[in-house]
Structure formats: C-alpha cells, structure tokens
Amino acid sequence: MATTYLYRNQGTPTGDGKKATISMWIKPAYINYSSGTDGLFEIRNPGIDASFDLAIDNGKIWFAVLNASGWVGSLLPNFEPHDWNAWMHIVCVYDSAQSTDNQRMIMYINGKDVRTDYGGYTTETYVAQDTVSTALAASSAYTQKWARYADTSTYYFDGYMAQCIFVDGEAYQASTFGSTDATTGEWKPKSDGEIRSAVTFGDQGSLLPFSDGSNLGYDYQTSGRSTTNDFTVSGSGYKTSDNPSNNQPTLNQQVYKPSGPSYSYSQANQGLSFGGSDWASVPGTIGPGDSGKWYFEAKVASLTNYAQVGFMTAAFANYKGYEGYFGASAGNIPAYGYGQDGKIYYSTTSANGQNTSADWATFGGDDICMCALDLDNNFVYFGKNGTWGNSGDPTSGSTGTGGQAVDNPTGSLWLPAVAGYNVTWLVNFGNGYFDTTQVASPNSDDGGLGTFEYDVPAGYRTICTKNIKTYG
C-alpha cells in the first residue's frame, strides 16, 4: 500500500561489506515515468551518510551504493518496464571483490542480465574493486527497510511485494531464486524451501514470504529460526492471495484517462473514486476469454450520483477509451453492467440500451454487489448483499434463470469493471478485503483460490491466472 513499509534495526553483519544480494517480486500499482522515487529495499542511517539502495526512479529500476564520498556505484537501465500489471522479479548482486568491473554490480530482471539482455544502462557506474559498502558493513544506527526510500513521505512503494530476500555476505545469481518454466517459457519463482536450502543468508539476511497475515514481517529463513530478524510493519498492508505464481486483477491505473472525469485510486488499485464532471469506466487488468464461469464483488463506499459494475470486453474498453459507461454506444461491442437504479445496462454486437423489465434491486452506499458471469451458457447475474436480483440462479445453466443474456463473440476477452460519476468503489477480486477491512464471513470459490463476502455459486471461479489457464 502507498504508505506501508517494513523496517528493522540492523545488527552486526556477517559480511565485510563487499558482498550482498537482493531478490524480490513486485507488482506496482502505478509508476510515475517523469518524477518520483519509490523505495524497494534500503539500508540507511538517519544521517544519510551511507546507504545501500534498490528503488524505482522515474519508472526505471535503480540499484545504487552511497558512501561518505558520494554515490560510488549506480545502475539505471535503459529499459523502462511498462507491463506493471504482471509480477516482475528483480535480483541485484553486489560483489566488489570481482576483478571485472561489470561483475561487481549486476541487475537481473525476470532472470535476465540487464547489461546484456535489456539494452544496458543509462547510468552505469561500478564500484572500485574491493569497495566496502558502509551500509552493508555497519550495524549501529542503520535500518533495513522494504518499500520505502530515504525516510521521505513521498518515497513509498505503492503496490504488491512477494518473497523479499536479502542476503548478507554472499553473492547469488538470479537462477538461485527463479527458473524458466519449460512449458510456457515464463520466469517463475522457486519455492521458499528450495531457496532456503540453497542460500546462506548471513546474520542480517532475511526471507519474507508474507505467509502469516498476523505477522507480515516474519523472517522465514529456516523453519526453526527465532524472531530476531523479523521486520515491523508500518501502515495498513495485508496478506494477499495475489502472487507471482497466481496473478489476480487489479483496477487498471495504467490506462488513458479522459479529461472530464477525475480518478483517485487507493489500496494498490483495489479502490477507485470517480469524480469530476462526466462518466468514466475502468476495467480490471486481466480477465478470461470466451468460456468459464467467473465471480467477483464490489462495495459502494460512497455514492452521490451514478454507479455501475459488471463485465466488459477488452474491445469495449479500448473503443471507449475508458470514457463513458456500460450501455453506452460503443461500436456494437459487448458489455454488461448493473446500475445503482436497479437497471441492467448493456451493449451487444447489434444494439445498446437498458433492461428495465425485471427486478434488480437498487443499491447505494455500503452495499456489496455480486457479479457472476457464465460464459459457458452466456448469462450474467447480479445481486447485492447476498441476494441475487431478479430471483436469479447463477447455477441454472442453459436455463439462465433470472440472468441477463450475454452476447459472447468467439475470441472475446472479458474484464471485470466498474463505472460511475461521483462514486467510490472498493473491489474484491478474491483477496478477501474491501479497502483495509477483511470480509466479515469468508467464502471461497470452488478451487479455493479466492475469498469473498458471500457464497460463491457452485462452479464459479476467482479471476486469476491459474483459473484462466484451466477454465478460461
């Protein structure tokens, strides 16, 4: 989250300040490509006399070492990542004893060496041989931090982090922490157990799996390790089922935004306020194809004018440029939304309009909307607060009891989405939270990959990469 970070005071390091490794997975909520620094990992003292830093600087990954004499090492790639909707693995290696300068600091992104595989660096300053990083070698008054840089209020990381690792006194390549999937060719994480058996962490090293929701800063280097190296959490971060092995959608902040509406995202793109003087719509970052059964929830945190929630095809979102609403004329491209007035707003391949002939309940502030899309039988169902509208039965299959018929062209990509005008939405795509509040009575989908407030209809699945690969 935007103001959440983890910290602990550094004790006496194992290493001599000449070797260290950072490995972490991230999925940022938003990246500013023109200004700003988002901290990822840092060792620093309050006087900023020295630091060991990994951050995102103006949209690029930055790895740097500061000693009293100044910035003695700094790597800033030419490469500028733009697919922030997927998880990214970063490994940074410091090994100043190496005789070759470009081996003293190495940055890997998704298993590839930035210098040789991503076009090299805009800034490429390597430390002199045998340079001791003061921050790595020091103990008293130095603090290790994840997700914050320089103790500055604007330098937090906003987004998701997983399997955060710091190694004190050893240098490891990216292949220690990840591997290439033989089937998909994707870079994927190794398990905590594989890493623990392969890595010597050192006295000040740590492995944070974020697997314990009551203690997110738990250091899990070994099964019997004490809490000495645990981190303290500052802020409102929480455990999430979104992870590098199973990516879940968020509301898509990396999109074109019309000038009329105003947008305010929160909770790492799980919350969104629409204001300003016009309608707007924003889809999720991932969704299924033209098959499967899918479920999500959205809560109305506040409502002054209009609100809609539902599913739109990627073609609809792209055509409208995220301006407008469900049911707007969009070149005859499918989209279906549930409005605060109890109407279903739709666009098909031949028409657009409103369904006012059935009884979908109106909704307002604090109501939770349920959205179920059956792409096997081509119906969509909407409800609120545990009751399906129009006496709907999402398990009725080809009968479509109480559902809205869906125009589902072959090859469609369906995205969960919200729309509105002076409304604040909080979505739950399976993480089990609305804003920072956990659902009151957790319910899982059939595969156990999502947590929701209300009972998920039989056969319906959380929207996530694992389920999409199998069912969508």
Side-chain angles (χ1 to χ4, degrees):
M1 308 309 169
T3 58
T4 296
Y5 71 104
L6 298 95
Y7 67 93
R8 73 172 186 83
N9 294 328
Q10 181 165 274
T12 302
T14 297
D16 57 6
K18 296 182 182 181
K19 286 186 179 184
T21 310
I22 306 167
S23 171
M24 66 186 307
W25 288 83
I26 64 170
K27 187 170 81 166
Y30 178 73
I31 295 298
N32 190 327
Y33 290 98
S34 59
S35 64
T37 302
D38 302 320
L40 296 176
F41 177 78
E42 179 176 68
I43 304 174
R44 183 183 289 258
N45 70 350
I48 318 180
D49 299 318
S51 64
F52 188 80
D53 293 287
L54 175 60
I56 302 172
D57 186 65
N58 296 344
K60 297 180 178 181
I61 309 300
W62 177 49
F63 177 34
V65 179
L66 174 69
N67 282 348
S69 57
W71 292 101
V72 294
S74 182
L75 298 181
L76 189 69
N78 288 309
F79 171 68
E80 192 175 78
H82 281 273
D83 185 11
W84 294 109
N85 298 320
W87 284 88
M88 174 182 293
H89 186 215
I90 303 167
V91 174
C92 289
V93 184
Y94 185 78
D95 190 357
S96 69
Q98 294 289 328
S99 58
T100 303
D101 61 354
N102 60 36
Q103 298 302 298
R104 296 171 197 153
M105 295 176 68
I106 304 174
M107 182 189 299
Y108 298 93
I109 296 179
N110 291 337
K112 295 182 178 180
D113 189 330
V114 169
R115 186 179 64 85
T116 57
D117 297 317
Y118 279 106
Y121 298 96
T122 300
T123 300
E124 189 174 10
T125 303
Y126 296 103
V127 296
Q129 188 172 15
D130 290 323
T131 294
V132 173
S133 164
T134 302
L136 288 178
S139 55
S140 177
Y142 280 76
T143 302
Q144 294 184 10
K145 298 187 293 289
W146 294 99
R148 194 176 185 185
Y149 170 75
D151 293 335
T152 303
S153 60
T154 57
Y155 290 166
Y156 294 96
F157 172 73
D158 185 11
Y160 302 81
M161 305 173 77
Q163 202 180 65
C164 292
I165 297 168
F166 173 65
V167 178
D168 164 27
E170 298 290 342
Y172 293 100
Q173 297 181 344
S175 58
T176 304
F177 309 99
S179 63
T180 301
D181 188 285
T183 301
T184 65
E186 296 175 335
W187 185 252
K188 63 181 183 180
K190 290 187 176 179
S191 69
D192 294 339
E194 288 178 288
I195 293 171
R196 295 204 318 263
S197 65
V199 169
T200 300
F201 291 89
D203 284 344
Q204 298 308 303
S206 55
L207 188 163
L208 307 184
F210 306 115
S211 57
D212 184 349
S214 63
N215 183 11
L216 291 176
Y218 176 58
D219 173 29
Y220 194 48
Q221 293 178 38
T222 65
S223 58
R225 189 172 180 83
S226 69
T227 60
T228 303
N229 285 19
D230 283 3
F231 283 71
T232 299
V233 179
S234 174
S236 57
Y238 53 82
K239 177 186 174 183
T240 171
S241 53
D242 193 346
N243 63 76
S245 298
N246 188 28
N247 193 18
Q248 290 183 340
T250 62
L251 293 171
N252 197 337
Q253 190 171 172
Q254 306 288 341
V255 298
Y256 162 76
K257 299 178 179 65
S259 58
S262 64
Y263 301 77
S264 178
Y265 291 81
S266 62
Q267 292 306 112
N269 297 343
Q270 301 291 332
L272 174 59
S273 294
F274 293 109
S277 57
D278 203 355
W279 278 86
S281 58
V282 171
T285 52
I286 62 173
D290 56 10
S291 62
K293 299 176 181 179
W294 309 97
Y295 178 86
F296 79 97
E297 297 172 344
K299 182 177 182 178
V300 185
S302 65
L303 175 60
T304 302
N305 291 102
Y306 307 104
Q308 295 176 337
V309 60
F311 297 88
M312 62 176 60
T313 56
F316 180 95
N318 291 333
Y319 183 88
K320 292 302 295 179
Y322 305 95
E323 184 174 15
Y325 54 92
F326 296 91
S329 177
N332 296 330
I333 305 171
Y336 297 85
Y338 174 30
Q340 89 292 330
D341 54 3
K343 300 176 182 178
I344 303 301
Y345 293 78
Y346 64 86
S347 175
T348 72
T349 53
S350 60
N352 64 284
Q354 306 168 16
N355 186 342
T356 61
S357 62
D359 180 21
W360 281 278
T362 61
F363 62 82
D366 291 327
D367 285 331
I368 296 175
C369 298
M370 305 120 67
C371 306
L373 179 63
D374 180 353
L375 294 174
D376 295 330
N377 298 287
N378 296 327
F379 289 97
V380 65
Y381 304 83
F382 297 107
K384 77 167 187 177
N385 301 335
T387 301
W388 292 102
N390 195 30
S391 300
D393 179 6
T395 65
S396 59
S398 60
T399 305
T401 302
Q404 168 73 42
V406 168
D407 191 350
N408 181 23
T410 300
S412 293
L413 173 63
W414 289 90
L415 301 171
V418 294
Y421 181 4
N422 292 324
V423 59
T424 297
W425 281 109
L426 304 173
V427 296
N428 175 19
F429 291 131
N431 278 331
Y433 281 81
F434 294 108
D435 196 30
T436 58
T437 303
Q438 192 170 11
V439 297
S441 51
N443 291 274
S444 296
D445 71 348
D446 278 357
L449 295 178
T451 303
F452 298 95
E453 180 69 44
Y454 297 109
D455 183 41
V456 180
Y460 285 76
R461 305 281 173 169
T462 302
I463 301 170
C464 60
T465 53
K466 281 188 176 181
N467 281 336
I468 290 171
K469 287 177 182 178
T470 303
Y471 303 100

